[in-house]
Each structure stands twice: as structure tokens, then as C-alpha cells.
Amino acid sequence: MFLFFLFRKNCWENHFGREMYKLYMFDFIASICITLLFDLPTKFLKETCPSCWLVRLSGKQRFLIPFNVLDLVYNQTVLWVGVFYCPLLPFLGLVKLVLAFYFKKFKVLRCCVPEERMFRASSSAVLFHFMLLLGLFMAVATLGLDLHIPKPSSCGPSEGSTRVLNVTGICVASLPGPAQFTLRYVASEAFVMPLIMAEILILSVLVILGRANRGNIEGLKKLLVMCSADKPFLVERCTLLLEDHAAAKERDSLNRSVGPPDPSTDLPTDPTAP
């Protein structure tokens, strides 16, 4: 699509940004329509007429986590590619993600049945990361090719410039003096190098904390195993103590029922007594 609009040479940046906006919004509208016009009526039909042939043909509705993750990767790729040509696309993406979350939640709770086995993220993590990295490469290639075009189109902010990057210098030169100084300082090595060092320090601290927490987790797992191994012994000891206590109580009750011995029967008899 990018190459198609690139060879048109007539306001192709505006047309390409418009198509990215259409792709992003069409995916959101399609997901809403599928939920409201297919998933929800199918659920109502299953509740009202479970023996219908259409219900048996459609089968059980499940929330497929891999397909939904790939849908998020697709939206992120479209956002990366089109953000340079449609600056309001990140705001629309934020609104879309918030609304899509509640629609997905409604779909899971109302229309889908629980999975029989738990989903393991490790089985598909490599595919998800590869697709996301591929989308990032596509966005970088698109932007890099656009920045190195010798003559941009006659529309947009780059109108009248030999390159797209020249517009940045013109916009910075039109700002007040303090704003120009701040932007030049942010773009200089004096700001970038401390920022990189601070990021490396923060990442190192987070990695060390993660390793320490992982060690604590392993220790707690071993302690949990030891506690679970001690449970049968403790239960056996408690059972023996309860049995001994019950036997002692039984002996006490038996002694109370018999009563104390009669002291008159224990007195010695006098042979001289009449």
C-alpha cells in the first residue's frame, strides 16, 4: 500500500495517512459488529433452542487468546506505520483499546464458554514477539524511505522543501529563543548520554531485583514443599493426641460413675466387741 501511494506523486502522504486511519477504524468496527451481530445472537439461540441444527453447526464459542493477541499486534503495526502521516492516530488508538477491552470482556463473560485447559503463553510467545518485531521493521522501513525521498509531494507540511527533514529545522527556527535552546539541548549529546546512562542504571537495578525476587520465590517454593511434606506427620500426631485425650476423658467419666469406695468397709473388726 505504501509503494502504491508513493508512485502516485500527488499528495500521497495525505492519502496514505487516510488509508491507515480507515484500516484502524475498520478493524474496530468489524470487531464490534462480529460481537453484536454474530456472537450475541448465537449465544441467545443456544440458550433458547439448544437442539437446533444451526446451534450444532456453529459449535461452542471460545475466546481464542492467540488470535486476539495477533489482532493487537496488527493494530500496533498500523499505529506505528501511520503515526507519521496521521498524528491523531495514537489518540484514536487509545480510545479504541479502552472500548475494545470492554467489548472483549462482554464477549468473554456473556458469549464464550470456559476453556477446558489453561492457555500457556510460552508456547506462542516466540510467534507474538516475531510478528511484533516484523511490524516494527515495516514501520521503520516506511518512515526511513519517506525521509530519504529527494522531493516530497506538494501537500502537507513538507510542501516546498527538498526533504522531509528540512521542515523540522524550519519549524524549530520559527520558535522563540528559549524553546529553541531547550530543543537543541534535548537533541545534543550532553542530554542524551546521561539519559542513556540513567536508563542502563535503572535496567541494571531492575534486573538485580528480578534475580533476587526469583531466588526468594524458589526458596518459598522449597519451603512450601517441606510444609506439605510435614502435613501428614502433623495430622497423625494430632490424631494421636485427640485419641489420648478422648481415652482420658472416658476414664474420668467411668471413675465418676463408679463413685468413691465406702470407708466403713475398710475398718478392722474387733474380736472382743459384743
mmCIF file of all heavy atoms in Angstrom, residues 20 56 88 174 267:
data_model
loop_
_atom_site.group_PDB
_atom_site.id
_atom_site.type_symbol
_atom_site.label_atom_id
_atom_site.label_comp_id
_atom_site.label_asym_id
_atom_site.label_seq_id
_atom_site.Cartn_x
_atom_site.Cartn_y
_atom_site.Cartn_z
ATOM 1 N N MET A 20 -4.472 4.535 6.445
ATOM 2 C CA MET A 20 -4.128 3.969 7.757
ATOM 3 C C MET A 20 -5.254 4.214 8.770
ATOM 4 O O MET A 20 -5.579 3.347 9.585
ATOM 5 C CB MET A 20 -2.826 4.584 8.265
ATOM 6 C CG MET A 20 -1.585 4.188 7.488
ATOM 7 S SD MET A 20 -1.181 2.425 7.624
ATOM 8 C CE MET A 20 -1.748 1.824 6.035
ATOM 9 N N ARG A 56 -25.856 -26.589 16.598
ATOM 10 C CA ARG A 56 -24.885 -27.675 16.495
ATOM 11 C C ARG A 56 -23.839 -27.400 15.418
ATOM 12 O O ARG A 56 -22.688 -27.806 15.540
ATOM 13 C CB ARG A 56 -25.606 -28.989 16.209
ATOM 14 C CG ARG A 56 -26.521 -29.452 17.333
ATOM 15 C CD ARG A 56 -26.909 -30.915 17.135
ATOM 16 N NE ARG A 56 -27.624 -31.123 15.887
ATOM 17 C CZ ARG A 56 -28.943 -31.055 15.767
ATOM 18 N NH1 ARG A 56 -29.698 -30.797 16.813
ATOM 19 N NH2 ARG A 56 -29.520 -31.270 14.589
ATOM 20 N N LEU A 88 -3.125 12.156 14.768
ATOM 21 C CA LEU A 88 -4.151 11.866 15.771
ATOM 22 C C LEU A 88 -4.423 10.374 15.922
ATOM 23 O O LEU A 88 -5.285 9.990 16.723
ATOM 24 C CB LEU A 88 -5.456 12.573 15.400
ATOM 25 C CG LEU A 88 -5.448 14.100 15.497
ATOM 26 C CD1 LEU A 88 -6.793 14.658 15.082
ATOM 27 C CD2 LEU A 88 -5.104 14.540 16.912
ATOM 28 N N SER A 174 11.401 28.867 13.776
ATOM 29 C CA SER A 174 10.278 29.801 13.962
ATOM 30 C C SER A 174 9.830 29.906 15.419
ATOM 31 O O SER A 174 8.977 30.735 15.732
ATOM 32 C CB SER A 174 9.095 29.359 13.109
ATOM 33 O OG SER A 174 8.622 28.077 13.521
ATOM 34 N N LEU A 267 -12.717 -50.589 107.744
ATOM 35 C CA LEU A 267 -12.340 -50.549 109.155
ATOM 36 C C LEU A 267 -12.039 -51.968 109.675
ATOM 37 O O LEU A 267 -12.758 -52.930 109.331
ATOM 38 C CB LEU A 267 -13.474 -49.950 109.989
ATOM 39 C CG LEU A 267 -13.746 -48.444 109.731
ATOM 40 C CD1 LEU A 267 -14.954 -48.017 110.553
ATOM 41 C CD2 LEU A 267 -12.529 -47.616 110.092
#
